Amino acid sequence: MPVLLKKISSNRADIAGATSNENVSHDLSSLLLRSYQEMPLLEVRNVTKVYPTEGAPVMALQNVSLEAEPGELIALVGRSGCGKSTLLNMCGAMDLPTSGEVILEGQSTASLDDASLTCLRREKVGFIFQSFQLLHTLTAAENVELPLLLARRKNPRGTALERLRWVDMEGYGDRFPHQLSGGQQQRVAIARALAHDPRLLLADEPTGNLDTVTGEIVLGLLHRTAREFGVAVIMATHSAEAASVAFRTVHLRDGRMQEAAVLL
């Protein structure tokens, strides 16, 4: 074979090999992307949490597993002391499991250092508490704005006012918490929790300090949060009425998962 033809033949083989490698790389990247997209937003895998005490250790959670998808509203139901709040703390990277694993958007919380855990919570998780946890020296708008300032987000005041509008608190931005009712304070707390566009929203007894009518308004906002923002919402409650708005309920007893039910 003439030298030129040999070179052409060799080049064709190199090109074919390179093309084949590129195809393999492309296929692998596509497979990894599909696998990532198919992963739940949150995975709790066989989590056990034990708190040491001067006496016998307290087992708060025992081999609990849970998954949450974007746009879901899940209710954790059970009596006080059953492990609901502990499980929320695990989901939100506020605490780490004794054994098992918590994975949020592909990141295992146990593999992160303190600075990375803080960043994960600040960027991806929103928190709502029974007692609202608003700073009483700040106005409603300033309370919502604060996490945005800490995260150095652009236009924090504009975002804060937009979130207040979304929870029907437009016009209350300059009021202090003591000038608001309990339901209004909780709506401000929801606005604050959503200000940084979290992927996961954790609500610990969000209607526990509210009357029935006001509680229904707050539950409606949590339902809208899941549907309109595509956020995974996990709510701890002992109230059957609150649990009834969830898409799925998980029952806990003595730190163990009893059952899960899908509500149609």
Side-chain angles (χ1 to χ4, degrees):
M1 180 182 296
V3 174
L4 179 59
L5 292 181
K6 287 183 179 180
K7 289 183 178 180
I8 293 173
S9 177
S10 177
N11 288 340
R12 285 176 175 171
D14 291 342
I15 292 171
T19 302
S20 177
N21 289 336
E22 289 175 359
N23 289 338
V24 170
S25 178
H26 175 73
D27 292 343
L28 180 59
S29 297
S30 298
L31 179 61
L32 290 173
L33 179 61
R34 287 199 303 273
S35 297
Y36 176 79
Q37 291 173 336
E38 292 170 0
M39 288 175 60
L41 173 70
L42 172 73
E43 293 180 272
V44 178
R45 297 177 177 173
N46 303 315
V47 162
T48 292
K49 182 63 181 180
V50 180
Y51 292 104
T53 65
E54 293 182 359
V58 175
M59 187 170 291
L61 294 175
Q62 302 180 56
N63 198 36
V64 171
S65 295
L66 176 70
E67 293 184 355
E69 303 283 355
E72 258 197 310
L73 172 53
I74 301 172
L76 306 179
V77 181
R79 295 179 178 178
S80 297
C82 71
K84 303 187 302 295
S85 295
T86 302
L87 182 53
L88 284 186
N89 288 338
M90 299 295 154
C91 294
M94 294 291 288
D95 201 354
L96 299 177
T98 304
S99 64
E101 192 173 24
V102 177
I103 301 173
L104 178 58
E105 283 208 320
Q107 291 184 291
S108 174
T109 58
S111 68
L112 302 176
D113 58 22
D114 288 343
S116 299
L117 286 170
T118 299
C119 183
L120 180 72
R121 291 190 295 266
R122 184 177 294 167
E123 295 293 327
K124 297 184 183 296
V125 186
F127 297 92
I128 299 171
F129 306 95
Q130 178 177 347
S131 56
F132 321 134
Q133 298 294 333
L134 299 178
L135 296 178
H136 291 279
T137 57
L138 300 181
T139 65
E142 289 169 341
N143 267 281
V144 179
E145 185 181 19
L146 181 59
L148 300 171
L149 292 171
L150 293 173
R152 298 182 179 179
R153 296 287 186 93
K154 294 181 179 179
N155 190 27
R157 178 52 62 98
T159 301
L161 294 177
E162 176 57 36
R163 288 293 181 265
L164 286 173
R165 280 193 291 272
W166 191 82
V167 298
D168 296 325
M169 288 294 290
E170 185 177 9
Y172 292 84
D174 60 348
R175 295 196 185 185
F176 290 91
H178 72 272
Q179 297 173 314
L180 302 172
S181 68
Q184 289 172 334
Q185 289 186 62
Q186 193 63 295
R187 279 189 275 170
V188 173
I190 293 173
R192 179 184 59 188
L194 293 175
H196 60 293
D197 296 320
R199 301 284 288 134
L200 176 66
L201 182 64
L202 304 175
D204 195 357
E205 299 284 359
T207 62
N209 286 349
L210 305 177
D211 61 67
T212 301
V213 174
T214 307
E216 289 176 354
I217 294 172
V218 168
L219 292 172
L221 287 172
L222 294 180
H223 194 280
R224 284 180 57 200
T225 296
R227 286 303 193 200
E228 295 182 21
F229 289 97
V231 175
V233 180
I234 303 179
M235 168 181 61
T237 183
H238 63 271
S239 165
E241 291 81 3
S244 67
V245 306
F247 311 149
R248 180 156 56 100
T249 60
V250 174
H251 293 264
L252 292 172
R253 183 175 182 179
D254 299 329
R256 294 181 180 272
M257 185 178 294
Q258 296 294 300
E259 60 183 278
V262 178
L263 304 179
L264 300 178

